[in-house]
């Protein structure tokens, strides 16, 4: 079966913070015909060429991310400022999936989110008690007072829900790996006896939403995270390509193993195109 769509992880696969991922484009010069200049502009142009090749091959593209610090508007704006030509409709984040979950279940949560991410969610209903806690990546909110408030909501309100936008162990920043929200989600689970509803990768809820009705067997995930990207995608029947960029660690081996383990995003696109020619 040929590949009809690709879900492409953003952070660590295409970029780290405000810069394109160097290793993702270091081997791409063969794909462009002009003399490349050094610097960020050239890296962005190469990534653009790679994405163009993928789309020209008839493969639909969607960019997926567990990023929870930024609202959808801010994320799209930042990607455009970096230089990526991405339509807002091509972005599917765990934050947008969590918004849909909150609205569908008519929740009135206490939020452990960044101020920017909070903008995507419904306004707080001040006439009713909090009935849930929503946790994302919010370093400024992970202090004793706010964690204790979340603890009390979960402990004191019968039937209250703990909603984890995602529970990643760590993520990649410019200064290296940094602690993700997973430790704080697990702490609340331990203290309250609640089990979190996990929205983002690797949860099937996320991938099913991103696929939007497509046959998983005809889709591939490209990402750097062994668990969130590879195991998550394969658990719903997708193919999965792991790239050795971002937070890839050679000692962390996903089970089942990825469909392909490749050096970077460029090689992943080559692999897809060659497979579709067979």
């Amino acid at each position: 079966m040929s590949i009809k769509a690709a879900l492409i992880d953003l952070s660590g696969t295409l970029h780290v913070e405000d810069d394109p991922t160097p290793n993702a484009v270091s081997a791409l010069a063969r794909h462009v015909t002009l003399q490349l200049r050094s610097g960020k502009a050239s890296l962005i142009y190469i990534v653009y060429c790679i994405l163009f090749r993928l789309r020209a091959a008839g493969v639909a593209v969607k960019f997926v991310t567990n990023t929870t610090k930024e609202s959808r508007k801010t994320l799209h704006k930042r990607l455009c400022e970096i230089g990526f030509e991405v339509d807002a409709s091509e972005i599917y984040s765990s934050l947008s999936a969590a918004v849909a979950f909150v609205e569908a279940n008519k929740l009135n949560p206490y939020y452990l989110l960044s101020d920017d991410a909070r903008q995507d969610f419904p306004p707080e209903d001040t006439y009713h008690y909090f009935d849930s806690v929503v946790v994302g990546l919010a370093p400024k909110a992970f202090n004793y007072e706010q964690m204790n408030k979340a603890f009390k909501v979960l402990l004191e309100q019968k039937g209250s829900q703990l909603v984890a936008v995602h529970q990643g162990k760590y993520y990649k920043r410019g200064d290296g790996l940094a602690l993700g929200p997973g430790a704080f989600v697990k702490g609340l689970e331990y203290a309250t006896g609640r089990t979190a509803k996990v929205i983002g990768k690797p949860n099937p809820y996320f991938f099913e939403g991103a696929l939007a009705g497509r046959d998983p067997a005809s889709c591939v995930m490209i990402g750097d995270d062994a668990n969130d990207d590879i195991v998550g995608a394969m658990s719903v029947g997708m193919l999965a390509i792991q790239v050795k960029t971002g937070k890839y660690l050679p000692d962390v081996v996903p089970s089942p193993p990825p469909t392909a383990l490749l050096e970077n995003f460029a090689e992943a696109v080559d692999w897809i195109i060659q497979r579709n020619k067979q």
Side-chain angles (χ1 to χ4, degrees):
M1 181 182 293
S2 63
I3 295 172
K4 303 296 185 183
L7 303 186
I8 304 170
D9 175 55
L10 283 169
S11 181
T13 301
L14 288 185
H15 73 93
V16 174
E17 295 187 333
D18 290 335
D19 293 303
T21 307
N23 289 341
V25 296
S26 61
L28 305 187
R30 66 184 183 276
H31 296 302
V32 291
T33 59
L34 75 166
Q35 182 70 34
L36 293 176
R37 304 182 304 275
S38 61
K40 184 189 293 187
S42 292
L43 300 182
I44 292 168
Y45 178 73
I46 298 172
V47 173
Y48 169 80
C49 290
I50 299 305
L51 288 171
F52 180 82
R53 290 181 67 237
L54 191 59
R55 289 176 169 128
V59 179
V61 171
K62 184 167 286 187
F63 301 93
V64 296
T65 178
N66 263 354
T67 298
T68 60
K69 288 177 64 178
E70 298 171 307
S71 65
R72 180 176 178 145
K73 180 180 178 180
T74 300
L75 176 59
H76 179 244
K77 180 181 177 182
R78 183 162 68 86
L79 291 172
C80 290
E81 288 175 346
I82 293 173
F84 295 125
E85 294 189 14
V86 177
D87 190 274
S89 64
E90 293 180 312
I91 300 173
Y92 187 82
S93 73
S94 55
L95 199 64
S96 55
V99 172
F101 181 83
V102 168
E103 292 176 337
N105 289 276
K106 297 180 172 58
L107 300 179
N108 183 39
Y110 176 70
Y111 293 100
L112 291 173
L113 295 171
S114 68
D115 291 339
D116 186 52
R118 177 68 182 83
Q119 296 178 36
D120 280 357
F121 287 82
E124 179 183 315
D125 182 356
T126 57
Y127 295 100
H128 294 88
Y129 292 112
F130 294 122
D131 57 13
S132 51
V133 172
V134 173
V135 185
L137 180 59
K140 292 182 179 179
F142 293 148
N143 56 69
Y144 183 81
E145 291 304 320
Q146 288 178 263
M147 290 293 292
N148 194 48
K149 174 69 173 179
F151 165 75
K152 289 185 175 181
V153 169
L154 294 170
L155 199 65
E156 296 173 0
Q157 299 302 320
K158 185 177 180 180
S160 58
Q161 294 189 60
L162 174 58
V163 181
V165 183
H166 74 90
Q167 55 178 3
K169 296 178 181 179
Y170 47 79
Y171 66 104
K172 184 68 179 291
R173 299 192 312 192
D175 61 350
L177 296 181
L179 186 65
F184 302 95
V185 173
K186 291 300 183 184
L188 288 171
E189 285 185 325
Y190 174 75
T192 65
R194 305 284 186 188
T195 299
K197 168 65 177 179
V198 183
I199 301 297
K201 298 181 291 181
N203 195 285
Y205 181 89
F206 177 89
F207 287 98
E208 289 163 2
L211 290 173
R214 290 183 181 273
D215 179 2
S218 69
C219 302
V220 63
M221 176 73 206
I222 306 173
D224 61 324
D225 189 291
N227 186 60
D228 289 356
D229 295 330
I230 307 308
V231 175
M234 297 185 80
S235 72
V236 298
M238 294 177 62
L239 304 176
I241 301 173
Q242 186 175 16
V243 292
K244 299 179 182 179
T245 56
K247 56 184 172 183
Y248 167 76
L249 297 172
D251 293 337
V252 179
V253 180
S255 179
T259 311
L261 176 62
L262 302 172
E263 291 296 323
N264 49 52
F265 177 61
E267 290 193 6
V269 171
D270 281 343
W271 187 92
I272 293 170
I273 293 173
Q274 291 302 314
R275 180 185 175 96
N276 280 357
K277 288 181 179 179
Q278 295 176 1

